[in-house]
Amino acid sequence: MINANDVIGTHHILFVTFDSLRYDVARAALHAGQTPHLAALLPGGKWEERRTQGSFTLPAHMSFFAGFLPVPSGPDRPHRLFACQTPRGTTIGPRTHVFDAPDIVTGLAAAGYRTVCIGGVGFFSRQTPLGSVLPALFQESHWSPDTGPDSPDSTRHQTGLALKALDNRDPAQPLFLFLNVSATHTPTHGYLPGATADSWESQCAALAYADTHLGRLFHALPDAGPWLVVLCADHGDAFGEDGHHGHGITHPTVWNVPYAELLLPGRPRGDV
């Protein structure tokens, strides 16, 4: 397990959530060679299967930003990376970094981080009071229809914003960069030629599309220094299994999500 106490202040942090991405879809796309940039980044070249904390975007991210990331699929409950101060914390251990803050975003800002949100789905849009709750946690947030789920080129736009955040950073200040990938959220059928409805296969195609652009971000990260990288889905989606469709429901296709955490070293100057 990563010792988060050794990371705070010494590493930038990248947190990417793939909205609605099922674990079985992520694993299949990886094994089929459709996500080579993720394959190169993931520990051991594979995803870990975990269980999410919420069945749709809002509760999942509220939990994540409180330090409750997806948990292992087995009965063991390892100590968390991050936590907020609480009277009782059974999953807080010596390697958990505990913030005296209501959420880890605010805690990271208090620790000297610049916090940046690259929004995807409507809960990050600031178009409504509810859609402002999550992005308001950050010092800087970005969203437009171009980064939303109805944009066929959303990940390209999101990656461009993330790269600008890297370029514009203060070299003396660590960065907490959060990105909610909207391409894997419905509608995904546009990524699969000939498809007219969203499906397991079209979500695979959407993830493959997202991987092509995220590769640019992954390649650029080491130039800024060392990173803690956390990658996961906020929840999955049902595509007709047992008669279920969508998310916000208690079904394994929704609760089972891909997860990875890793430390990425910085690139020495002059090393291209």
Side-chain angles (χ1 to χ4, degrees):
M1 175 183 172
I2 293 171
N3 189 334
N5 293 305
D6 294 337
V7 166
I8 299 299
T10 64
H11 289 61
H12 303 291
I13 301 172
L14 173 68
F15 183 19
V16 179
T17 57
F18 293 85
D19 211 285
S20 307
L21 179 62
R22 292 162 50 139
Y23 168 72
D24 57 354
V25 168
R27 182 183 61 181
L30 186 72
H31 288 174
Q34 294 177 286
T35 54
H37 298 105
L38 283 166
L41 193 66
L42 296 173
K46 62 182 181 180
W47 289 105
E48 179 184 354
E49 182 179 4
R50 288 203 173 191
R51 304 288 186 263
T52 186
Q53 304 284 1
S55 63
F56 68 102
T57 300
L58 182 63
H61 284 85
M62 290 294 286
S63 296
F64 296 167
F65 292 150
F68 297 98
L69 296 172
V71 297
S73 56
D76 294 335
R77 288 293 177 267
H79 293 152
R80 287 180 277 152
L81 276 174
F82 303 120
C84 297
Q85 195 68 254
T86 179
R88 296 183 64 187
T90 59
T91 54
I92 295 175
R95 296 185 178 184
T96 305
H97 189 89
V98 181
F99 296 101
D100 187 15
D103 58 83
I104 67 170
V105 185
T106 302
L108 286 167
Y113 279 76
R114 178 66 178 172
T115 61
V116 179
C117 171
I118 311 296
V121 301
F123 285 111
F124 296 95
S125 70
R126 288 188 179 269
Q127 291 184 312
T128 65
L130 182 57
S132 301
V133 171
L134 295 174
L137 299 175
F138 293 79
Q139 295 165 327
E140 178 183 337
S141 66
H142 301 271
W143 185 90
S144 75
D146 286 338
T147 68
D150 292 319
S151 169
D153 212 7
S154 58
T155 312
R156 179 175 67 85
H157 292 289
Q158 291 183 306
T159 299
L161 289 168
L163 292 173
K164 286 182 180 179
L166 291 180
D167 291 341
N168 296 334
R169 76 187 189 283
D170 180 348
Q173 184 179 32
L175 179 66
F176 174 49
L177 180 59
F178 168 76
L179 199 161
N180 172 243
V181 175
S182 62
T184 47
H185 187 284
T186 55
T188 58
H189 60 272
Y191 296 103
L192 187 65
T196 57
D198 295 337
S199 64
W200 189 91
E201 292 82 4
S202 69
Q203 192 177 68
C204 276
L207 180 59
Y209 154 77
D211 181 82
T212 63
H213 293 289
L214 290 173
R216 296 186 291 129
L217 176 60
F218 298 155
H219 177 76
L221 292 178
D223 289 332
W227 290 79
L228 165 65
V229 179
V230 177
L231 310 169
C232 66
D234 56 345
H235 57 80
D237 240 347
F239 297 115
E241 294 85 357
D242 301 313
H244 293 287
H245 294 269
H247 46 264
I249 55 176
T250 55
H251 192 271
T253 58
V254 174
W255 292 108
N256 298 347
V257 296
Y259 181 88
E261 62 183 52
L262 63 134
L263 296 178
L264 184 66
R267 183 179 293 122
R269 290 186 178 182
D271 184 0
V272 296

